[in-house]
Amino acid sequence: MDNFYALMARMKNIGRWSLMRSVTPENVQEHSHMVAVLAHALAVIRRDVFGLPADPDACAAAALFHDAAEILTGDLPTPIKYNNPEIMAAYRQVEAAASEKLLTMLPAELRPAYEPLLTEPAPEIKSIVKAADKLAAYIKCIEERRAGNDEFRLAEQKSLDTLRGYAMPEVDYFLERFIPAFEKTLDEQGTMEYREPARPGQ
């Protein structure tokens, strides 16, 4: 029996930010979708704004699966994961083993297509997915702060500092052009503004 896709569906059962009090709880499936949206955006910006090589579709696909190993490992809180090099190294080994285990749950003829998504994507894809992952975390922090939750204040500043430290033009472009909208209400974003439908011939 091939369990891969049934396990993928369980990503929604894995909570994130487990040590933080959240106004709006977030699960790994929701996070992975947002990271995929952002990775696709960063790759498009890199390619179409700055004229640099990028594959938006490949970046989006890699982002969808970037936390797939957590189906078997669970989500280790960031303060624990990055606080100790030995814990970090051990966790990376566990993640690698979990990814290999997930691959065995696919038919042999499908594994080559999923192996780069579950193990180690190409460096140019990995860097964009990493930036998108941090960008998703930064946006989550903004949303929690705007909801009156001060719990995410320090995480928000650290996430922004990390993003700026990447020195990636596509990230800086996104921060400048798109992040301000996350500070607005739905009405302020203009989504509720009525627009007269175009008439034929216009």
mmCIF file of all heavy atoms in Angstrom, residues 117-161:
data_model
loop_
_atom_site.group_PDB
_atom_site.id
_atom_site.type_symbol
_atom_site.label_atom_id
_atom_site.label_comp_id
_atom_site.label_asym_id
_atom_site.label_seq_id
_atom_site.Cartn_x
_atom_site.Cartn_y
_atom_site.Cartn_z
ATOM 1 N N LEU A 117 12.579 17.029 -4.471
ATOM 2 C CA LEU A 117 11.655 17.837 -3.678
ATOM 3 C C LEU A 117 11.740 17.493 -2.196
ATOM 4 O O LEU A 117 11.576 18.356 -1.333
ATOM 5 C CB LEU A 117 10.207 17.623 -4.155
ATOM 6 C CG LEU A 117 9.913 17.963 -5.621
ATOM 7 C CD1 LEU A 117 8.475 17.615 -5.958
ATOM 8 C CD2 LEU A 117 10.191 19.438 -5.893
ATOM 9 N N LEU A 118 12.030 16.235 -1.910
ATOM 10 C CA LEU A 118 12.038 15.767 -0.523
ATOM 11 C C LEU A 118 13.428 15.749 0.097
ATOM 12 O O LEU A 118 13.558 15.691 1.326
ATOM 13 C CB LEU A 118 11.438 14.360 -0.450
ATOM 14 C CG LEU A 118 9.949 14.254 -0.786
ATOM 15 C CD1 LEU A 118 9.524 12.794 -0.881
ATOM 16 C CD2 LEU A 118 9.110 14.978 0.251
ATOM 17 N N THR A 119 14.452 15.747 -0.718
ATOM 18 C CA THR A 119 15.807 15.645 -0.166
ATOM 19 C C THR A 119 16.529 16.994 -0.248
ATOM 20 O O THR A 119 16.419 17.805 0.662
ATOM 21 C CB THR A 119 16.602 14.542 -0.888
ATOM 22 O OG1 THR A 119 16.572 14.773 -2.309
ATOM 23 C CG2 THR A 119 15.988 13.172 -0.593
ATOM 24 N N GLU A 120 17.219 17.245 -1.328
ATOM 25 C CA GLU A 120 18.011 18.471 -1.418
ATOM 26 C C GLU A 120 17.804 19.108 -2.788
ATOM 27 O O GLU A 120 18.358 18.637 -3.783
ATOM 28 C CB GLU A 120 19.488 18.165 -1.202
ATOM 29 C CG GLU A 120 20.365 19.383 -1.026
ATOM 30 C CD GLU A 120 20.180 20.073 0.326
ATOM 31 O OE1 GLU A 120 19.576 19.468 1.236
ATOM 32 O OE2 GLU A 120 20.644 21.213 0.469
ATOM 33 N N PRO A 121 17.032 20.191 -2.865
ATOM 34 C CA PRO A 121 16.842 20.854 -4.163
ATOM 35 C C PRO A 121 18.123 21.528 -4.625
ATOM 36 O O PRO A 121 19.074 21.688 -3.849
ATOM 37 C CB PRO A 121 15.744 21.886 -3.867
ATOM 38 C CG PRO A 121 15.854 22.151 -2.405
ATOM 39 C CD PRO A 121 16.300 20.862 -1.787
ATOM 40 N N ALA A 122 18.152 21.920 -5.882
ATOM 41 C CA ALA A 122 19.313 22.633 -6.418
ATOM 42 C C ALA A 122 19.555 23.908 -5.624
ATOM 43 O O ALA A 122 18.608 24.507 -5.100
ATOM 44 C CB ALA A 122 19.069 22.963 -7.889
ATOM 45 N N PRO A 123 20.820 24.342 -5.505
ATOM 46 C CA PRO A 123 21.145 25.506 -4.659
ATOM 47 C C PRO A 123 20.343 26.758 -4.985
ATOM 48 O O PRO A 123 19.915 27.482 -4.080
ATOM 49 C CB PRO A 123 22.643 25.726 -4.936
ATOM 50 C CG PRO A 123 23.149 24.380 -5.334
ATOM 51 C CD PRO A 123 22.029 23.725 -6.084
ATOM 52 N N GLU A 124 20.122 27.028 -6.290
ATOM 53 C CA GLU A 124 19.400 28.241 -6.662
ATOM 54 C C GLU A 124 17.923 28.170 -6.248
ATOM 55 O O GLU A 124 17.288 29.195 -5.977
ATOM 56 C CB GLU A 124 19.517 28.500 -8.165
ATOM 57 C CG GLU A 124 18.892 27.448 -9.067
ATOM 58 C CD GLU A 124 19.813 26.267 -9.364
ATOM 59 O OE1 GLU A 124 20.871 26.149 -8.707
ATOM 60 O OE2 GLU A 124 19.458 25.472 -10.270
ATOM 61 N N ILE A 125 17.389 26.953 -6.182
ATOM 62 C CA ILE A 125 16.010 26.765 -5.711
ATOM 63 C C ILE A 125 15.978 26.815 -4.185
ATOM 64 O O ILE A 125 15.107 27.444 -3.587
ATOM 65 C CB ILE A 125 15.437 25.433 -6.230
ATOM 66 C CG1 ILE A 125 15.296 25.483 -7.754
ATOM 67 C CG2 ILE A 125 14.104 25.116 -5.570
ATOM 68 C CD1 ILE A 125 14.847 24.175 -8.372
ATOM 69 N N LYS A 126 16.942 26.170 -3.574
ATOM 70 C CA LYS A 126 17.002 26.120 -2.108
ATOM 71 C C LYS A 126 17.075 27.515 -1.502
ATOM 72 O O LYS A 126 16.407 27.799 -0.488
ATOM 73 C CB LYS A 126 18.218 25.296 -1.672
ATOM 74 C CG LYS A 126 18.324 25.121 -0.162
ATOM 75 C CD LYS A 126 19.519 24.245 0.198
ATOM 76 C CE LYS A 126 19.638 24.066 1.704
ATOM 77 N NZ LYS A 126 20.799 23.207 2.057
ATOM 78 N N SER A 127 17.848 28.402 -2.100
ATOM 79 C CA SER A 127 17.999 29.752 -1.543
ATOM 80 C C SER A 127 16.689 30.528 -1.608
ATOM 81 O O SER A 127 16.351 31.276 -0.675
ATOM 82 C CB SER A 127 19.103 30.515 -2.279
ATOM 83 O OG SER A 127 18.764 30.724 -3.643
ATOM 84 N N ILE A 128 15.942 30.343 -2.682
ATOM 85 C CA ILE A 128 14.663 31.042 -2.813
ATOM 86 C C ILE A 128 13.645 30.469 -1.834
ATOM 87 O O ILE A 128 12.891 31.216 -1.192
ATOM 88 C CB ILE A 128 14.151 30.967 -4.265
ATOM 89 C CG1 ILE A 128 14.989 31.897 -5.151
ATOM 90 C CG2 ILE A 128 12.670 31.336 -4.353
ATOM 91 C CD1 ILE A 128 14.571 31.927 -6.602
ATOM 92 N N VAL A 129 13.603 29.153 -1.696
ATOM 93 C CA VAL A 129 12.660 28.529 -0.759
ATOM 94 C C VAL A 129 12.993 28.937 0.678
ATOM 95 O O VAL A 129 12.092 29.224 1.480
ATOM 96 C CB VAL A 129 12.665 26.998 -0.909
ATOM 97 C CG1 VAL A 129 11.827 26.339 0.183
ATOM 98 C CG2 VAL A 129 12.142 26.601 -2.282
ATOM 99 N N LYS A 130 14.261 29.002 0.996
ATOM 100 C CA LYS A 130 14.678 29.426 2.338
ATOM 101 C C LYS A 130 14.215 30.852 2.614
ATOM 102 O O LYS A 130 13.695 31.149 3.708
ATOM 103 C CB LYS A 130 16.202 29.327 2.464
ATOM 104 C CG LYS A 130 16.736 29.741 3.832
ATOM 105 C CD LYS A 130 18.256 29.617 3.877
ATOM 106 C CE LYS A 130 18.814 30.052 5.224
ATOM 107 N NZ LYS A 130 20.303 29.965 5.262
ATOM 108 N N ALA A 131 14.379 31.729 1.638
ATOM 109 C CA ALA A 131 13.944 33.111 1.804
ATOM 110 C C ALA A 131 12.424 33.195 1.918
ATOM 111 O O ALA A 131 11.886 33.954 2.731
ATOM 112 C CB ALA A 131 14.435 33.959 0.635
ATOM 113 N N ALA A 132 11.725 32.399 1.116
ATOM 114 C CA ALA A 132 10.264 32.389 1.167
ATOM 115 C C ALA A 132 9.769 31.865 2.511
ATOM 116 O O ALA A 132 8.764 32.344 3.052
ATOM 117 C CB ALA A 132 9.706 31.543 0.023
ATOM 118 N N ASP A 133 10.459 30.879 3.054
ATOM 119 C CA ASP A 133 10.110 30.319 4.354
ATOM 120 C C ASP A 133 10.209 31.394 5.438
ATOM 121 O O ASP A 133 9.310 31.557 6.277
ATOM 122 C CB ASP A 133 11.043 29.144 4.652
ATOM 123 C CG ASP A 133 10.644 28.362 5.898
ATOM 124 O OD1 ASP A 133 9.447 28.317 6.225
ATOM 125 O OD2 ASP A 133 11.540 27.785 6.538
ATOM 126 N N LYS A 134 11.296 32.141 5.420
ATOM 127 C CA LYS A 134 11.475 33.210 6.403
ATOM 128 C C LYS A 134 10.483 34.342 6.165
ATOM 129 O O LYS A 134 9.968 34.947 7.116
ATOM 130 C CB LYS A 134 12.917 33.732 6.340
ATOM 131 C CG LYS A 134 13.252 34.782 7.391
ATOM 132 C CD LYS A 134 13.029 34.279 8.810
ATOM 133 C CE LYS A 134 14.000 33.167 9.180
ATOM 134 N NZ LYS A 134 13.842 32.749 10.598
ATOM 135 N N LEU A 135 10.180 34.616 4.911
ATOM 136 C CA LEU A 135 9.216 35.657 4.577
ATOM 137 C C LEU A 135 7.820 35.285 5.081
ATOM 138 O O LEU A 135 7.083 36.139 5.603
ATOM 139 C CB LEU A 135 9.202 35.870 3.061
ATOM 140 C CG LEU A 135 8.440 37.075 2.506
ATOM 141 C CD1 LEU A 135 8.898 38.377 3.158
ATOM 142 C CD2 LEU A 135 8.627 37.140 0.991
ATOM 143 N N ALA A 136 7.465 34.013 4.952
ATOM 144 C CA ALA A 136 6.175 33.548 5.468
ATOM 145 C C ALA A 136 6.112 33.713 6.984
ATOM 146 O O ALA A 136 5.069 34.101 7.541
ATOM 147 C CB ALA A 136 5.944 32.092 5.077
ATOM 148 N N ALA A 137 7.207 33.414 7.664
ATOM 149 C CA ALA A 137 7.260 33.580 9.113
ATOM 150 C C ALA A 137 7.120 35.055 9.490
ATOM 151 O O ALA A 137 6.419 35.400 10.454
ATOM 152 C CB ALA A 137 8.571 33.015 9.664
ATOM 153 N N TYR A 138 7.774 35.924 8.724
ATOM 154 C CA TYR A 138 7.696 37.367 8.978
ATOM 155 C C TYR A 138 6.257 37.867 8.820
ATOM 156 O O TYR A 138 5.746 38.630 9.661
ATOM 157 C CB TYR A 138 8.625 38.094 8.015
ATOM 158 C CG TYR A 138 8.603 39.602 8.125
ATOM 159 C CD1 TYR A 138 8.775 40.239 9.352
ATOM 160 C CD2 TYR A 138 8.417 40.388 6.998
ATOM 161 C CE1 TYR A 138 8.762 41.619 9.446
ATOM 162 C CE2 TYR A 138 8.406 41.767 7.078
ATOM 163 C CZ TYR A 138 8.571 42.382 8.305
ATOM 164 O OH TYR A 138 8.549 43.752 8.405
ATOM 165 N N ILE A 139 5.589 37.417 7.778
ATOM 166 C CA ILE A 139 4.198 37.819 7.550
ATOM 167 C C ILE A 139 3.301 37.321 8.674
ATOM 168 O O ILE A 139 2.403 38.037 9.135
ATOM 169 C CB ILE A 139 3.721 37.300 6.177
ATOM 170 C CG1 ILE A 139 4.446 38.065 5.055
ATOM 171 C CG2 ILE A 139 2.212 37.427 6.022
ATOM 172 C CD1 ILE A 139 4.255 37.474 3.674
ATOM 173 N N LYS A 140 3.538 36.090 9.124
ATOM 174 C CA LYS A 140 2.769 35.556 10.254
ATOM 175 C C LYS A 140 2.951 36.439 11.485
ATOM 176 O O LYS A 140 1.986 36.724 12.207
ATOM 177 C CB LYS A 140 3.209 34.122 10.543
ATOM 178 C CG LYS A 140 2.702 33.532 11.840
ATOM 179 C CD LYS A 140 1.192 33.371 11.838
ATOM 180 C CE LYS A 140 0.734 32.646 13.100
ATOM 181 N NZ LYS A 140 -0.745 32.633 13.228
ATOM 182 N N CYS A 141 4.172 36.884 11.733
ATOM 183 C CA CYS A 141 4.446 37.748 12.878
ATOM 184 C C CYS A 141 3.701 39.081 12.752
ATOM 185 O O CYS A 141 3.158 39.591 13.741
ATOM 186 C CB CYS A 141 5.944 38.000 13.007
ATOM 187 S SG CYS A 141 6.922 36.551 13.469
ATOM 188 N N ILE A 142 3.686 39.634 11.546
ATOM 189 C CA ILE A 142 2.949 40.885 11.313
ATOM 190 C C ILE A 142 1.472 40.683 11.626
ATOM 191 O O ILE A 142 0.831 41.506 12.289
ATOM 192 C CB ILE A 142 3.134 41.365 9.864
ATOM 193 C CG1 ILE A 142 4.580 41.790 9.613
ATOM 194 C CG2 ILE A 142 2.185 42.523 9.549
ATOM 195 C CD1 ILE A 142 4.877 42.132 8.162
ATOM 196 N N GLU A 143 0.912 39.589 11.134
ATOM 197 C CA GLU A 143 -0.513 39.317 11.347
ATOM 198 C C GLU A 143 -0.833 39.173 12.828
ATOM 199 O O GLU A 143 -1.867 39.677 13.298
ATOM 200 C CB GLU A 143 -0.913 38.064 10.580
ATOM 201 C CG GLU A 143 -0.872 38.239 9.067
ATOM 202 C CD GLU A 143 -1.061 36.936 8.315
ATOM 203 O OE1 GLU A 143 -0.899 35.853 8.919
ATOM 204 O OE2 GLU A 143 -1.368 37.005 7.107
ATOM 205 N N GLU A 144 0.029 38.493 13.573
ATOM 206 C CA GLU A 144 -0.204 38.319 15.000
ATOM 207 C C GLU A 144 -0.086 39.649 15.736
ATOM 208 O O GLU A 144 -0.897 39.965 16.621
ATOM 209 C CB GLU A 144 0.783 37.304 15.574
ATOM 210 C CG GLU A 144 0.510 35.868 15.160
ATOM 211 C CD GLU A 144 -0.748 35.293 15.810
ATOM 212 O OE1 GLU A 144 -1.040 35.650 16.971
ATOM 213 O OE2 GLU A 144 -1.431 34.498 15.143
ATOM 214 N N ARG A 145 0.908 40.454 15.377
ATOM 215 C CA ARG A 145 1.061 41.764 16.022
ATOM 216 C C ARG A 145 -0.149 42.645 15.757
ATOM 217 O O ARG A 145 -0.668 43.315 16.649
ATOM 218 C CB ARG A 145 2.330 42.454 15.518
ATOM 219 C CG ARG A 145 2.475 43.825 16.139
ATOM 220 C CD ARG A 145 3.362 44.806 15.482
ATOM 221 N NE ARG A 145 3.835 44.584 14.177
ATOM 222 C CZ ARG A 145 3.330 45.215 13.099
ATOM 223 N NH1 ARG A 145 2.283 46.024 13.200
ATOM 224 N NH2 ARG A 145 3.875 45.023 11.919
ATOM 225 N N ARG A 146 -0.624 42.632 14.509
ATOM 226 C CA ARG A 146 -1.779 43.462 14.169
ATOM 227 C C ARG A 146 -3.048 42.986 14.885
ATOM 228 O O ARG A 146 -3.990 43.754 15.055
ATOM 229 C CB ARG A 146 -1.995 43.454 12.650
ATOM 230 C CG ARG A 146 -1.014 44.365 11.917
ATOM 231 C CD ARG A 146 -1.287 44.423 10.423
ATOM 232 N NE ARG A 146 -2.704 44.542 10.096
ATOM 233 C CZ ARG A 146 -3.419 45.671 10.188
ATOM 234 N NH1 ARG A 146 -2.831 46.773 10.619
ATOM 235 N NH2 ARG A 146 -4.692 45.683 9.864
ATOM 236 N N ALA A 147 -3.058 41.724 15.273
ATOM 237 C CA ALA A 147 -4.196 41.191 16.025
ATOM 238 C C ALA A 147 -4.062 41.460 17.521
ATOM 239 O O ALA A 147 -4.875 40.982 18.316
ATOM 240 C CB ALA A 147 -4.334 39.694 15.775
ATOM 241 N N GLY A 148 -3.026 42.216 17.906
ATOM 242 C CA GLY A 148 -2.851 42.595 19.297
ATOM 243 C C GLY A 148 -2.014 41.632 20.117
ATOM 244 O O GLY A 148 -1.967 41.734 21.346
ATOM 245 N N ASN A 149 -1.320 40.712 19.444
ATOM 246 C CA ASN A 149 -0.514 39.717 20.145
ATOM 247 C C ASN A 149 0.951 40.152 20.163
ATOM 248 O O ASN A 149 1.633 40.118 19.139
ATOM 249 C CB ASN A 149 -0.657 38.354 19.455
ATOM 250 C CG ASN A 149 0.074 37.250 20.207
ATOM 251 O OD1 ASN A 149 0.600 37.458 21.289
ATOM 252 N ND2 ASN A 149 0.102 36.064 19.618
ATOM 253 N N ASP A 150 1.432 40.536 21.333
ATOM 254 C CA ASP A 150 2.811 41.007 21.473
ATOM 255 C C ASP A 150 3.815 39.866 21.538
ATOM 256 O O ASP A 150 5.018 40.082 21.533
ATOM 257 C CB ASP A 150 2.924 41.864 22.743
ATOM 258 C CG ASP A 150 4.175 42.720 22.763
ATOM 259 O OD1 ASP A 150 4.474 43.352 21.733
ATOM 260 O OD2 ASP A 150 4.862 42.761 23.803
ATOM 261 N N GLU A 151 3.312 38.636 21.574
ATOM 262 C CA GLU A 151 4.167 37.451 21.684
ATOM 263 C C GLU A 151 5.151 37.335 20.527
ATOM 264 O O GLU A 151 6.249 36.798 20.673
ATOM 265 C CB GLU A 151 3.278 36.199 21.736
ATOM 266 C CG GLU A 151 4.013 34.896 21.942
ATOM 267 C CD GLU A 151 4.288 34.585 23.398
ATOM 268 O OE1 GLU A 151 3.897 35.386 24.261
ATOM 269 O OE2 GLU A 151 4.890 33.539 23.664
ATOM 270 N N PHE A 152 4.760 37.858 19.355
ATOM 271 C CA PHE A 152 5.559 37.681 18.153
ATOM 272 C C PHE A 152 6.448 38.898 17.846
ATOM 273 O O PHE A 152 7.073 38.948 16.792
ATOM 274 C CB PHE A 152 4.645 37.413 16.949
ATOM 275 C CG PHE A 152 4.091 36.011 16.906
ATOM 276 C CD1 PHE A 152 3.105 35.606 17.789
ATOM 277 C CD2 PHE A 152 4.559 35.094 15.977
ATOM 278 C CE1 PHE A 152 2.595 34.311 17.753
ATOM 279 C CE2 PHE A 152 4.057 33.806 15.925
ATOM 280 C CZ PHE A 152 3.074 33.417 16.822
ATOM 281 N N ARG A 153 6.495 39.862 18.745
ATOM 282 C CA ARG A 153 7.214 41.108 18.466
ATOM 283 C C ARG A 153 8.688 40.869 18.174
ATOM 284 O O ARG A 153 9.226 41.355 17.176
ATOM 285 C CB ARG A 153 7.063 42.059 19.655
ATOM 286 C CG ARG A 153 7.801 43.386 19.499
ATOM 287 C CD ARG A 153 7.579 44.271 20.716
ATOM 288 N NE ARG A 153 7.877 43.563 21.954
ATOM 289 C CZ ARG A 153 9.114 43.403 22.447
ATOM 290 N NH1 ARG A 153 10.158 43.889 21.789
ATOM 291 N NH2 ARG A 153 9.310 42.759 23.586
ATOM 292 N N LEU A 154 9.370 40.123 19.026
ATOM 293 C CA LEU A 154 10.800 39.880 18.830
ATOM 294 C C LEU A 154 11.038 39.001 17.607
ATOM 295 O O LEU A 154 11.987 39.231 16.836
ATOM 296 C CB LEU A 154 11.393 39.227 20.075
ATOM 297 C CG LEU A 154 12.917 39.006 20.067
ATOM 298 C CD1 LEU A 154 13.650 40.320 19.853
ATOM 299 C CD2 LEU A 154 13.368 38.352 21.369
ATOM 300 N N ALA A 155 10.185 37.996 17.400
ATOM 301 C CA ALA A 155 10.326 37.126 16.233
ATOM 302 C C ALA A 155 10.162 37.922 14.945
ATOM 303 O O ALA A 155 10.830 37.650 13.941
ATOM 304 C CB ALA A 155 9.295 36.000 16.290
ATOM 305 N N GLU A 156 9.279 38.916 14.968
ATOM 306 C CA GLU A 156 9.084 39.763 13.784
ATOM 307 C C GLU A 156 10.360 40.522 13.442
ATOM 308 O O GLU A 156 10.785 40.554 12.282
ATOM 309 C CB GLU A 156 7.936 40.744 14.028
ATOM 310 C CG GLU A 156 7.680 41.666 12.850
ATOM 311 C CD GLU A 156 6.554 42.660 13.117
ATOM 312 O OE1 GLU A 156 5.835 42.519 14.123
ATOM 313 O OE2 GLU A 156 6.403 43.597 12.297
ATOM 314 N N GLN A 157 10.976 41.134 14.443
ATOM 315 C CA GLN A 157 12.194 41.904 14.184
ATOM 316 C C GLN A 157 13.337 41.005 13.729
ATOM 317 O O GLN A 157 14.078 41.345 12.790
ATOM 318 C CB GLN A 157 12.609 42.671 15.432
ATOM 319 C CG GLN A 157 13.789 43.607 15.210
ATOM 320 C CD GLN A 157 13.532 44.634 14.126
ATOM 321 O OE1 GLN A 157 12.548 45.372 14.191
ATOM 322 N NE2 GLN A 157 14.392 44.691 13.120
ATOM 323 N N LYS A 158 13.469 39.842 14.360
ATOM 324 C CA LYS A 158 14.534 38.921 13.969
ATOM 325 C C LYS A 158 14.322 38.409 12.544
ATOM 326 O O LYS A 158 15.279 38.263 11.780
ATOM 327 C CB LYS A 158 14.598 37.746 14.950
ATOM 328 C CG LYS A 158 15.205 38.094 16.299
ATOM 329 C CD LYS A 158 15.341 36.864 17.184
ATOM 330 C CE LYS A 158 16.056 37.178 18.479
ATOM 331 N NZ LYS A 158 16.212 35.981 19.346
ATOM 332 N N SER A 159 13.075 38.143 12.186
ATOM 333 C CA SER A 159 12.780 37.666 10.832
ATOM 334 C C SER A 159 13.130 38.732 9.804
ATOM 335 O O SER A 159 13.716 38.434 8.756
ATOM 336 C CB SER A 159 11.294 37.296 10.711
ATOM 337 O OG SER A 159 10.983 36.204 11.554
ATOM 338 N N LEU A 160 12.774 39.984 10.087
ATOM 339 C CA LEU A 160 13.091 41.069 9.163
ATOM 340 C C LEU A 160 14.598 41.255 9.026
ATOM 341 O O LEU A 160 15.114 41.434 7.910
ATOM 342 C CB LEU A 160 12.435 42.369 9.636
ATOM 343 C CG LEU A 160 12.688 43.604 8.773
ATOM 344 C CD1 LEU A 160 12.228 43.376 7.334
ATOM 345 C CD2 LEU A 160 11.996 44.821 9.375
ATOM 346 N N ASP A 161 15.313 41.194 10.142
ATOM 347 C CA ASP A 161 16.776 41.330 10.095
ATOM 348 C C ASP A 161 17.389 40.218 9.246
ATOM 349 O O ASP A 161 18.326 40.466 8.466
ATOM 350 C CB ASP A 161 17.355 41.286 11.506
ATOM 351 C CG ASP A 161 16.991 42.517 12.329
ATOM 352 O OD1 ASP A 161 16.570 43.527 11.739
ATOM 353 O OD2 ASP A 161 17.120 42.454 13.573
#
